[in-house]
Amino acid sequence: MQKNLLPNTQDKKVFITGASSGIGYALCEEYLKQGWSVIGLARDSSKIPDTTKKNNNFKFVKVDLSDFEVSKSVINDVFKKNKNINTFILNAGIYLPDGFDNFSFENAKKTFNTNVLSIYLTLELINKNFKLSSKHTLAIMSSTAGYKGLPKSLLYGPSKAALINLAESIKSENSNDLNIKLICPGFVETPATKVNTFKMPFLMSPSKAAGIIFDKIYKKGFEITFPFPFNSIMKFGKILPYKLYFKFTEKKFSKK
Ligand SMILES: NC(=O)c1ccc[n+]([C@@H]2O[C@H](COP(=O)([O-])OP(=O)(O)OC[C@H]3O[C@@H](n4cnc5c(N)ncnc54)[C@H](OP(=O)(O)O)[C@@H]3O)[C@@H](O)[C@H]2O)c1
């Protein structure tokens, strides 16, 4: 049984992927505010405010996580030099709102390389570099969009569904008694969701999302999902029989 999930002061070092914008950046800010050391990974540091970049507790690591050769060596190096990382938040992801009528295999590759395979690579490197125990926290960023198939989510949805299954699999073994968290947010206002042309229900700011995640990540429980009631509506969709579910999605989303 996990107890006292919040680590001691000397162990407060977090590894966050997708740290340059949106939820990942907001998480970096939240952890810095809480007195942690933060290692943030992304491709483009220019999006990060100078105040954060100058913070001695923040280290930016430039890497393209979809370039597996390079990221293997970069992440290995980070892990070798930072054996006291306590929390891993695998957050980086891309959102390409392709539907069946306009998707491309190229976009499918980009989505799965970034959203799924890069996570497997990072997990392998975590396993090789750390003697994982109940002191460690591993959080995987999925989405409520992974609960069930949605219109215009031919690539993103399945990539996030894979992550839900992956986190469930790790949790179901949990031979190391790790604190494992699956994070499934609804809509958060970030550069990724700017492409949406529809009104996003219960849209939340990244800082609010990061606050909720930090508040729940060291508490008991497996899934962190918000905002209520959007997450409950999406969960309800999960258990609806297909006939009713598709009646709803076709009516609500598909008609132009
Ligand atoms: N926003 C939402 O409504 C929402 C809802 C549920 C789940 N999520 C999930 O939350 C996570 C963060 O998304 P966000 O909404 O905050 O979007 P965002 O602002 O676009 O952030 C995505 C982050 O991932 C990084 N990234 C993307 N591709 C990368 C690559 N190849 N290598 C390294 N870093 C890469 C980006 O940095 P660079 O571009 O600088 O590399 C950026 O820091 C994603 O996994 C997303 O699926 C978002």
Side-chain angles (χ1 to χ4, degrees), residues 13 15 36 42 44 53 113 145 172-173 178 206 210-211:
K13 190 176 273 192
F15 171 91
W36 285 59
D44 180 8
K53 279 191 273 194
N113 282 351
S172 69
E173 289 182 16
L178 276 178

Side-chain angles (χ1 to χ4, degrees), residues 18 20-21 23 43-44 47 64-65 91 156 160 186 188 190:
S20 63
S21 66
I23 304 171
R43 292 166 298 187
D44 180 8
K47 294 182 257 177
D64 179 350
L65 292 165
N91 159 78
Y156 183 73
K160 292 297 170 179
V188 181
T190 68

Side-chain angles (χ1 to χ4, degrees), residues 4-25:
N4 193 16
L5 300 177
L6 192 65
N8 294 326
T9 22
Q10 66 269 29
D11 297 327
K12 286 184 173 175
K13 190 176 273 192
V14 60
F15 171 91
I16 303 175
T17 66
S20 63
S21 66
I23 304 171
Y25 174 68

Side-chain angles (χ1 to χ4, degrees), residues 17-26 41-48 60-67 71 90-95 110 113-115 118-119 140-145 156 159-160 163 183-194 196 200 203-204 206 213 226:
T17 66
S20 63
S21 66
I23 304 171
Y25 174 68
L41 285 76
R43 292 166 298 187
D44 180 8
S45 69
S46 71
K47 294 182 257 177
I48 301 175
F60 180 78
V61 178
K62 184 181 163 69
V63 65
D64 179 350
L65 292 165
S66 66
D67 183 335
S71 47
L90 310 187
N91 159 78
I94 56 168
Y95 168 57
K110 270 189 207 161
N113 282 351
T114 308
N115 294 9
S118 83
I119 298 226
I140 293 181
M141 180 63 75
S142 179
S143 166
T144 52
Y156 183 73
S159 75
K160 292 297 170 179
L163 295 187
I183 309 176
C184 293
F187 290 111
V188 181
E189 194 171 15
T190 68
T193 48
K194 268 212 168 87
N196 285 336
M200 292 176 269
L203 189 64
M204 181 181 272
I213 294 167
F226 55 85

Side-chain angles (χ1 to χ4, degrees), residues 1-2 132-134 136 138 166-181 221-222:
M1 224 21 210
Q2 293 153 353
L132 293 172
S133 72
S134 58
H136 293 97
L138 170 67
L166 169 64
E168 287 168 354
S169 293
I170 301 171
K171 177 74 180 170
S172 69
E173 289 182 16
N174 204 7
S175 47
N176 304 310
D177 203 17
L178 276 178
N179 175 30
I180 298 161
K181 292 288 186 276
F222 170 59

Side-chain angles (χ1 to χ4, degrees), residues 72 79 118-129:
K72 187 175 181 176
F79 287 167
S118 83
I119 298 226
Y120 278 100
L121 177 63
T122 311
L123 289 174
E124 185 187 305
L125 298 174
I126 289 172
N127 263 338
K128 282 189 175 151
N129 282 282

